[in-house]
Each structure stands twice: as structure tokens, then as C-alpha cells.
Amino acid sequence: MKKSFRNDALQKVCGTARFADDYSFPRMAHSVPVYSQYVHARVSAILVEEAERMPGVLSVLTWKDVPGSLTAGQIDQDYPILVKDRIRFTGDVVAIITAETRAQALAAVEKVKVDAKELPILRDTEEAIKSGAVVIPEGRAGNIVNHHKVRKGDPDKKMSESDIIIEEFFTTPLVEHAYIEPECGICIPRDDGVLEIYGSIQHPFSTRRFVCAYLGRPLASVIVRAHAVGGSFGGKDDTASIVCARAALAAVKLKRPVKMLYDRAWSMKESYKRNPYKMWYKAGFSSKGKLMSVISRTLADSGAYTSTTPWSTWRSAAQNIGPYVLSDIHADVYGVATNNIFTGAFRGFGSPQTNFAFEQIMDMAAEKLDLDPLEIRKINAVRQNSETITGQVLDDHTVSLIEVMEKTASSINFKEKRKLCSQGKGDKLYGIGMAASYRGCSLGAEGMDFCCASVNVQFDGSILIDVSVFENGQGAPSAMIILASQMLGVPLENIHYQGSTTATIPDGGTTVASRGTMMGGGALKDAMDTLKAILRKTLLPDLAEKEEEIEFRDNRIFGTKGRSLSWNEAGKKMYLARVYPVAFGTFQAPKVSWNEENGQGDAYFSYVYSSQAVEVEVDPEKGSCRILNIVASHDIGRAVNPPMVKGQIHGGIVQGAGMALTENFMTDDEGRALSLNFSKYKIPRMTDIPDIEAHIVENNDPLSPTGTKGIGEPALEIIAPAIANAVAAATGRRFTSLPLDLSSLKRETPQKEPLKK
């Protein structure tokens, strides 16, 4: 495997990388949020006078101080920077206290009083959609915030013709992103009226939109800077942006820099989570294992605000049955408002939940039909020129699902080890399970998908690039530097990645959906092609007779007849010719389509094909599960930085294993958060995860200018069903809720007779 490259490795290893809280500015004040004790209430008054008199307090801001819109959002504009007259969930903020020191601000929190009348609390999605239920979203007739559907064929007729029918109900819980660095926002009001923002955020342009909406400012008057971020996984858009907006609100009011740093409890109480799902599936199969029909219904808990729930539920519809061919399906996916902590984007959007359900259905059908789990998947897998459930024909890229499944199965020796499964017999139970997926690349038909990049050759021949994809810890700048190095034929150290801001590069879309390398690389390729054309035209007299004879390789620019220039020489010649060696590039994703009425269309322009398998050991006496072995195979197009690709695979698997076995964000009966630190929210420990065998399958994607696709989300979305299938093979029992509650095994274990003396 190639040597790994991280442009920020030294800073990360030495602890010198600067995260949001590492920044400090002269005269910087400190803000903290104020929560109420309510979950759902009508507010009559927010009393701040006593807090304003506390030592060191500079301001106590409420909704009355917000100059712009009180609410903003990614889709629905419903998320309040500060509550006005109605509290919808436990994390709503009623006031911002700013003081000379953080300790002084914290001391004043208890002095803010909220007069409010409690309202009925709605926590269950099934109750929320009943007629007469209290309505949570303002201005809506009910609590259904969105509805995605897939309609194809005649599923009722095909269900009646099926030889076996699997009918099952699945649930998944609230899941915390568990990023290392909590939210932090800093705003510096400049003398020229511009607001500069530093923050632990996912996407600077999203943050800018939130800040400008709440403060009523034009986009050009706010600059958001990118710097090191301690993890995100989709979790640092809405909440992290609103933290920055609150810091900006206080900074504008006080005309001085303000920092708002969240502690872990505030972060876990207020930040959005992965949508909890309730899923009802009915699937018909022929006696030979052919999937005949699916009828499904899903309720996704959106919580108090919409956030990006429609993007999650759209993925759940488009990928409702995983990577399988089916001509007859009726699927409905609803986003439903409640008074729970609101939910939204999380690595994988809505696919991990539906994969958890349907990948188990495939094993359940295989068991009924006495088929091997690999065989039933191969019977139904999408292949070259297959048609998906949305009517898309997969004919313009390599469909490698069979390849990745066979790679995984042969590496872990699946068929032979399947014969060893305990099926509930024995003291220590062994099981092996697998799962597969096809993951739509980038945003698909749920969003506008384009990106941009620039390249600027300096006078001395050094090269500056700027790409509108942002670092969340995944190594995006490193991938861009490698691509630029390969495109120009120069060493990595000759490429300098500019620390982008919202003022130096246009908005290239959010850092989500595993799109960074593919979209940013595509834009960079366009910029490099333009740059090369400029250089060829200008340097032609020094190098060759025809522009096409000029090549970029081996850290030089070559012409004919032995002529060549170093980049330093080329930079100087461009200067003397008074021609800018600067280029701007863009990449628009290939066209996709979606019909909201029937869920038909080309949902994505390409797909990542994935398969993972897991071996487990279950101890029924302890009610515990130990993962013994994990093998993963992913076709990610072309691997730009292979060790980092494997790092993404490993990280996604660990995060998904937590979702499978331990992670469940706890609340009390009224929706108040109980999981306020990692002592109350169990993520996997290093000792919980064995060595992972990761296989990178490379089928250059012709729809991507660099041949790349993505890996961040595919790595996570199938490990939970693979573990569930392995546990079922070990115990002989099917677990249909996450995290898998193996304590029920412990209760069923017969008591051993006492030893006779």
C-alpha cells in the first residue's frame, strides 16, 4: 500500500493544530446559553434583570435583541436562535449571557427566570400522526413534515404470488454524533463592518447563511474561516452554526470579540442526533429466493425542528431495500415532528436505518428457504444494466456489487464458517453475518450538486490551490494536494492548500454525503486543465511548435527537442509576459432526476458498492457480544490516498458498531436528555474492536473527472445489520431493535444447578 499523506499530520501529532477554542483575541468576552426547565411550554415572560446585575455581566440577550429573522434552517426556516413564546424541546435556548469571563457568565445563568405554561408533550411518532394530536411545527396542519414515496409495479399482486412472506417491525434509537470537539464559535467585529467567524463547524457557507439570516446582514458582510475541526460526522451544521450566530449577536451588541464555547452537556442536550426510525416491512420471495414484492412504511422522528430530516428520509426511500432488483414496491417514508431532541444529518443520512431492516430481511428469507445468505444476495443483487427500484438503469459505470460481496466472503471464508454458527446451542455462541449496500454518490436528486476550485502559480513557481470542500478531520486537503500533484506532475511539497474562507472561494456545497474528493477533485481537474492551457499558450515559443506537445511531469514543463522549464522559470516567464497563471474550475454533477409523486428517477449519478462481514462471540450468561473479526470491501472508484481510505473504512465501522451494540441516547419520560456525557453514552472502546481487514476495490468511475467516488458514509451504513445477522446466527434469535439488547438472552439462560457437596 502507498505511503499515507496528511498535510496536517505534524500539527495533529504535536498538538499544535489550532481548533476553535485555541483562538483568542484582545478584549474577547464570553457568552453562555440559558436553557429552561421546560420541554414544551408557552412562554409568557423571560426575566433577565437580576442576571444583568451580576458581576462582570455585559449583556443578557433575548429574542427581542435579534435584528434579523428569529428562525432559520437548512430546509424549513423553523429553528430559533432564541425562543420567543414557545419552547419545543429541552435544548431550546431562551437567553445568551455575555460577561468579561466565562465564570462570570456561568454564575449569572441561574438568575434568568422563565414564566411559562406547560403544554402537552408529544414524544411518539405514531401518536404524533393521529388526528387531534397537538401540532408541534408552527403553521402546519399536522406533524408530518415530509413524505417520500416509491411506487412501482403491483406489489399487492406480487405479494399474493410469493411463496414466502417476511413481515417484521424494526426500530432504531437516537444516536449521538460523539465528535471529540464540542461546538465553539467566535465572532470578531472588524472596523470595516465585516464580521469574522471562527468555529467548530462543518461547512463555513452553511454557518454564514445562519449568521446572516439571524442578524439580518448581507452574505458579503460575514467571513467564516476554516481551520482544524475535531470531528463532525454530519453533526456540525445547524447547532454549530447557531452557536456562531449567538456569538455574533453578542459581538455586534457589545462591539467586541465574543467566544461561545459549549461544554459536553450543552452539546449533547442541544445538538441534533440521528433520526430514530420505526419501520414496518413486508417482503415476498419466490421459493428460489427471488425478491418478488415489498410494502414498507417508515416513521422518522424529526424532533422539534425539521433540520435535514427530509434529506435523510429521501435516502431511506431511494435506497429502501438496499442493493437489490425489484419491480414491485410500495414504500412510504415520513418525517414526523415531536417534542424530542431534533434530528438531522448523520453519516449515512437515512440509509443505516433501512439497511439495518432490509439486510436482516434478506437473512430471514434465506433461513426460511434454506439458502446461504451470500447466495440470496447474489440472486437479487443489482448487476450491470440492472434497473433500481426508482427506475434507474445502471449502465454508465461499473456495477461491482457481486465483486465486493465475493471479495468479502472469500476473505473471511464465509461459507465454511457459516457452518460453524451456534444457532443458540452452547455456552459461548459463535456467529458470522454479512451485509451489502449500494450507496448513491454525493447529494443525488436531493440537492444542487456542484463545486469549485482555483489554482494560482506564484512568481517562484510554487503552486497555491483553493478548493471549496472543507476539512472536518477526514483529510480533504490532503486528497486535494495529492490530486493537484498528480495533475501537474510536481512533488506534494510544491502544492500549498490555502486555508479557505467564505471570502476566498465561492460556495461549493456542503461537506456531506461523501462528496468531497469526487466533487472537489472534479472542480480541481477543471481548474488544472484551464491552467495548463494558459501555460501552454504563453510558454509555447520557449518549448515547442504546438501546444499539445507540451507536457507536465517530473516537476518540469517539457516541450520538444529537449527543451523544458522548471516551475520557477515558468513562473518568471509568465510574469514577464504579463499573463496570470491563475485558473478557476468547476464541476457540476451529472444530471439526476426525481419524481416526488411516484419516487421514480435517476436518484444518483453513480454508486459506491460495499459489503462487510463480521464474526461474533455471544456470551448468553453475561448478555454480551464480542466482535471477533471484521472484513470490509468497498468499490470507491479510484483511491487517491489509500491509507486514508482505509482509515475512513475503519472509522465508519467503529462508529457503526457502536450504533449496533451500545449507543442509545437516553432521555427521561418527558424528553429531557439524560446522556449528558460519555459516562452515560457508551461509544466503542479500542478493546471492543478487533483488527479490521479492509479491501479497496477500484473501478475507475467514468462519471467522475478523477475517477473517484466516496467512502465516508458507505463504511458505516452496513456494519449494524452485519452484526445483527451474526448475532442471529450465533443465538438463533433475531434482534430487530438497535442497539441489540442481548440482556434478554441473559434472562433466558437456565440457572445452573448448584454443585453438590
Side-chain angles (χ1 to χ4, degrees), residues 196-385:
E196 281 194 43
I197 304 285
Y198 294 75
S200 178
I201 56 176
Q202 179 144 346
H203 182 58
F205 287 96
S206 290
T207 298
R208 189 177 70 161
R209 283 192 287 273
F210 274 93
V211 170
C212 291
Y214 291 130
L215 270 63
R217 299 174 66 96
L219 294 174
S221 71
V222 174
I223 296 174
V224 182
R225 295 189 174 277
H227 49 76
V229 174
S232 171
F233 314 115
K236 284 185 176 169
D237 249 350
D238 303 43
T239 309
S241 294
I242 211 169
V243 170
C244 292
R246 288 169 184 151
L249 181 65
V252 170
K253 178 79 173 180
L254 297 171
K255 298 182 173 57
R256 58 190 286 188
V258 169
K259 175 188 286 186
M260 176 174 265
L261 170 65
Y262 268 38
D263 65 19
R264 183 64 64 183
W266 299 342
S267 173
M268 296 184 81
K269 177 178 185 175
E270 187 182 339
S271 67
Y272 57 93
K273 318 297 181 196
R274 186 187 295 283
N275 302 77
Y277 271 33
K278 290 184 177 181
M279 298 171 281
W280 292 263
Y281 272 87
K282 184 177 181 182
F285 290 82
S286 73
S287 60
K288 294 184 178 180
K290 179 66 179 174
L291 182 60
M292 301 277 289
S293 171
V294 168
I295 299 171
S296 72
R297 177 171 170 268
T298 298
L299 299 181
D301 190 345
S302 171
Y305 302 108
T306 300
S307 184
T308 54
T309 286
W311 294 343
S312 295
T313 51
W314 180 78
R315 297 237 174 199
S316 305
Q319 298 169 228
N320 195 256
I321 63 159
Y324 305 114
V325 175
L326 176 64
S327 58
D328 299 87
I329 180 172
H330 181 128
D332 291 288
V333 185
Y334 299 90
V336 182
T338 65
N339 291 117
N340 294 321
I341 296 173
F342 76 109
T343 55
F346 194 149
R347 199 174 188 176
F349 284 99
S351 297
Q353 295 96 319
T354 52
N355 286 334
F356 172 68
F358 208 78
E359 283 301 298
Q360 289 207 78
I361 286 177
M362 295 302 288
D363 265 37
M364 294 161 75
E367 185 179 346
K368 273 199 170 188
L369 295 167
D370 197 24
L371 290 171
D372 182 275
L374 175 62
E375 289 306 312
I376 196 168
R377 285 175 171 81
K378 290 171 71 173
I379 290 169
N380 293 288
V382 292
R383 289 174 162 78
Q384 206 68 43
N385 300 316

Side-chain angles (χ1 to χ4, degrees), residues 634-654:
H634 299 269
D635 180 356
I636 51 89
R638 181 169 76 88
V640 174
N641 198 1
M644 291 297 99
V645 171
K646 290 197 172 183
Q648 285 276 338
I649 294 173
H650 291 188
I653 285 173
V654 173

Side-chain angles (χ1 to χ4, degrees), residues 75-96:
I75 301 172
D76 290 347
Q77 307 301 301
D78 62 350
Y79 187 21
I81 182 171
L82 291 166
V83 164
K84 179 182 179 184
D85 54 7
R86 186 182 174 200
I87 294 166
R88 289 202 213 174
F89 88 113
T90 185
D92 270 333
V93 173
V94 297
I96 303 166

Side-chain angles (χ1 to χ4, degrees), residues 475-513:
S478 303
M480 295 302 111
I481 291 171
I482 292 172
L483 285 171
S485 166
Q486 294 170 347
M487 291 170 187
L488 294 181
V490 301
L492 294 170
E493 54 269 24
N494 283 25
I495 306 291
H496 300 266
Y497 192 92
Q498 178 161 300
S500 306
T501 77
T502 53
T504 60
I505 191 83
D507 189 353
T510 51
T511 307
V512 297

Side-chain angles (χ1 to χ4, degrees), residues 331-571:
D332 291 288
V333 185
Y334 299 90
V336 182
T338 65
N339 291 117
N340 294 321
I341 296 173
F342 76 109
T343 55
F346 194 149
R347 199 174 188 176
F349 284 99
S351 297
Q353 295 96 319
T354 52
N355 286 334
F356 172 68
F358 208 78
E359 283 301 298
Q360 289 207 78
I361 286 177
M362 295 302 288
D363 265 37
M364 294 161 75
E367 185 179 346
K368 273 199 170 188
L369 295 167
D370 197 24
L371 290 171
D372 182 275
L374 175 62
E375 289 306 312
I376 196 168
R377 285 175 171 81
K378 290 171 71 173
I379 290 169
N380 293 288
V382 292
R383 289 174 162 78
Q384 206 68 43
N385 300 316
S386 287
E387 183 175 310
T388 70
I389 61 169
T390 71
Q392 181 175 3
V393 178
L394 305 175
D395 60 357
D396 51 9
H397 65 279
T398 301
V399 180
S400 57
L401 182 61
I402 297 293
E403 182 181 358
V404 297
M405 287 198 298
E406 290 183 340
K407 182 78 173 178
T408 297
S410 62
S411 296
I412 204 168
N413 197 12
F414 186 82
K415 286 194 174 182
E416 290 303 312
K417 288 183 177 177
R418 186 76 184 173
K419 299 172 185 173
L420 306 177
C421 293
S422 301
Q423 297 295 338
K425 298 174 183 175
D427 294 332
K428 291 288 179 68
L429 307 177
Y430 169 82
I432 185 169
M434 70 177 304
S437 72
Y438 70 158
R439 175 76 192 176
C441 290
S442 201
L443 299 180
E446 65 181 331
M448 305 300 291
D449 213 357
F450 57 100
C451 196
C452 60
S454 67
V455 56
N456 186 349
V457 180
Q458 306 298 299
F459 178 74
D460 64 356
S462 58
I463 298 159
L464 187 64
I465 63 171
D466 197 351
V467 187
S468 193
V469 295
F470 293 91
E471 172 69 354
N472 290 182
Q474 77 277 39
S478 303
M480 295 302 111
I481 291 171
I482 292 172
L483 285 171
S485 166
Q486 294 170 347
M487 291 170 187
L488 294 181
V490 301
L492 294 170
E493 54 269 24
N494 283 25
I495 306 291
H496 300 266
Y497 192 92
Q498 178 161 300
S500 306
T501 77
T502 53
T504 60
I505 191 83
D507 189 353
T510 51
T511 307
V512 297
S514 309
R515 64 189 290 275
T517 302
M518 179 173 54
M519 296 303 298
L524 192 61
K525 174 74 164 51
D526 188 46
M528 293 300 183
D529 288 346
T530 302
L531 173 71
K532 288 178 180 177
I534 294 171
L535 292 171
R536 284 188 174 108
K537 183 176 181 180
T538 308
L539 302 176
L540 181 64
D542 296 293
L543 292 172
E545 283 69 44
K546 298 177 182 177
E547 292 181 19
E548 56 268 28
E549 294 173 337
I550 297 175
E551 297 180 348
F552 301 82
R553 55 181 170 82
D554 302 329
N555 201 22
R556 294 186 71 85
I557 303 173
F558 288 92
T560 57
K561 301 177 182 177
R563 292 175 289 182
S564 71
L565 293 171
S566 70
W567 280 88
N568 181 285
E569 293 166 338

